[in-house]
Amino acid sequence: MFDASPALALKWININDNRIKGYTSTVYPRSSISYDMSDTPTTTGFSAIIKHPQYFIPTGDTQILAQNVLFKVHRYFLEREPSSFREIFSDSDCNTKPYTLDVKPEDFAHFLWVFYDEDFEYENQPLERWLVILRLATRWGFGKVRKLVVRQLEKLNLHPIDKIKIYSDFKIDAQLLIPSYSTLAKSPTLPSLSEAAKLDIETILRLTMVRERALQKAAEDGCRSPTSASAGDEDVKRFICEIFGLPNTSTTKPHNTVAEGSSTDGVDDTAESLVPTLQNPTPGGKKKRNANANGTSNSNGQHTNGKTLPF
């Protein structure tokens, strides 16, 4: 049974066409994808609906409303993966009314950019943009988009602690963190308190164990003033794999990373999600259709016929 009130809420709505038409002549800069919602014009206390300057596409076949911003996009991009959108669209093939989406319009615009960037300019994008896309792709079940984000994150020069935090929160392949673990384990100084606060206590303890093993190994090898940095790279990697429970690619069959097209999407599916916002139903899961013919809700909080959908 699905939670009747998770973060993702898609439902049918009726929009007064006159409110939309009143803003069709407004000219917006092409590159704008963010809004100061406090400056949005209001009508009788409610925010007036405006069309997104870039992603209200005349040839689009699906309208989506995020807060007071209306998008018109191509349904194909949102349903070609077994995502939450595919489930929603499968129950409403003949409907043309807009859906409401419980996200910020600027965040949804970032997500759509992945599909509509004509130049495929994925390089040199800021970390903040990729994190927004990663969060929504994870929330809605877009596995291929997640792979794209991970490939781009691997190209960024992330601080080891920040990388560990991001990859852990979004359940990205932990083997991609071995270089970051190694950097911290061999560092001559410990992280500051503010940096260490980003990591959970278990990760900190495991890194401490790696440092101690590396220091011991350096002393056993005859180093006169041993430190954890004195240990060899392969020794440190072996300690990391043993202590963090990761396969050592130096002695085992090569492990496919996300960048190499791993079918696991770089996700540890056996672990519980650490991302608090991921409360939408599993994409592709079995759906129940128990609403009556009038579109009223059943005991599971589900609606049909232009009403609130399962989530």
Side-chain angles (χ1 to χ4, degrees):
M1 182 182 298
F2 299 148
D3 187 353
S5 59
L8 176 62
L10 287 172
K11 62 182 181 180
W12 292 111
I13 62 169
N14 290 316
I15 295 181
N16 187 325
D17 291 338
N18 292 329
R19 294 179 66 191
I20 300 176
K21 293 177 181 178
Y23 292 89
T24 54
S25 61
T26 304
V27 178
Y28 301 95
R30 183 70 176 176
S31 61
S32 174
I33 57 173
S34 63
Y35 304 86
D36 181 355
M37 304 311 293
S38 62
D39 294 335
T40 302
T42 59
T43 302
T44 63
F46 295 93
S47 297
I49 296 172
I50 61 175
K51 295 179 179 180
H52 191 275
Q54 185 172 358
Y55 296 120
F56 190 89
I57 302 171
T59 60
D61 54 10
T62 299
Q63 295 188 39
I64 296 175
L65 186 68
Q67 293 183 352
N68 70 317
V69 180
L70 187 64
F71 296 79
K72 187 177 182 182
V73 296
H74 298 90
R75 170 173 164 172
Y76 164 77
F77 292 117
L78 298 177
E79 68 175 356
R80 63 180 178 180
E81 289 197 60
S83 67
S84 299
F85 286 96
R86 180 184 288 185
E87 290 191 19
I88 294 299
F89 295 152
S90 67
D91 286 336
S92 53
D93 288 336
C94 298
N95 291 299
T96 58
K97 298 178 182 178
Y99 298 95
T100 57
L101 191 60
D102 187 20
V103 297
K104 295 179 180 179
E106 56 267 33
D107 288 354
F108 190 48
H110 283 316
F111 186 76
L112 293 175
W113 167 81
V114 171
F115 306 113
Y116 286 104
D117 179 34
E118 297 178 355
D119 300 320
F120 299 99
E121 295 178 347
Y122 296 144
E123 308 296 331
N124 302 318
Q125 297 297 327
L127 172 64
E128 291 73 18
R129 166 173 275 190
W130 288 122
L131 291 183
V132 168
I133 297 170
L134 177 61
R135 174 170 55 82
L136 295 181
T138 303
R139 177 180 176 183
W140 294 333
F142 284 82
K144 292 181 180 179
V145 177
R146 272 181 57 97
K147 291 180 181 181
L148 167 67
V149 175
V150 173
R151 287 197 297 269
Q152 299 307 313
L153 292 179
E154 284 294 291
K155 298 175 183 179
L156 299 180
N157 185 25
L158 299 177
H159 187 282
I161 289 181
D162 291 334
K163 186 172 183 178
I164 293 171
K165 171 65 175 174
I166 294 169
Y167 281 41
S168 298
D169 283 352
F170 288 98
K171 297 168 59 180
I172 297 172
D173 190 353
Q175 271 211 273
L176 299 176
L177 293 176
I178 290 178
S180 297
Y181 290 144
S182 181
T183 297
L184 294 177
K186 300 186 69 172
S187 174
T189 59
L190 295 174
S192 65
L193 291 177
S194 61
E195 291 177 334
K198 299 177 182 179
L199 304 178
D200 60 79
I201 187 63
E202 181 177 341
T203 299
I204 293 175
L205 291 176
R206 290 178 186 274
L207 284 172
T208 301
M209 294 170 63
V210 173
R211 290 177 66 92
E212 291 178 349
R213 291 276 298 275
L215 176 62
Q216 180 181 359
K217 176 62 176 174
E220 292 174 352
D221 290 344
C223 182
R224 294 185 178 181
S225 301
T227 66
S228 59
S230 304
D233 291 341
E234 286 301 315
D235 288 327
V236 173
K237 180 179 179 180
R238 176 165 54 85
F239 299 148
I240 290 172
C241 292
E242 291 175 359
I243 293 173
F244 281 88
L246 303 174
N248 191 340
T249 56
S250 299
T251 57
T252 61
K253 189 176 181 179
H255 178 82
N256 288 332
T257 65
V258 172
E260 296 169 341
S262 170
S263 60
T264 61
D265 180 27
V267 180
D268 180 5
D269 292 327
T270 62
E272 183 178 358
S273 173
L274 299 178
V275 186
T277 59
L278 305 185
Q279 299 184 18
N280 56 295
T282 302
K286 184 177 181 180
K287 301 185 295 296
K288 298 182 179 179
R289 294 186 176 89
N290 297 322
N292 61 36
N294 295 323
T296 56
S297 62
N298 57 27
S299 60
N300 294 326
Q302 297 175 309
H303 299 250
T304 58
N305 284 348
K307 303 299 181 180
T308 303
L309 290 165
F311 49 92

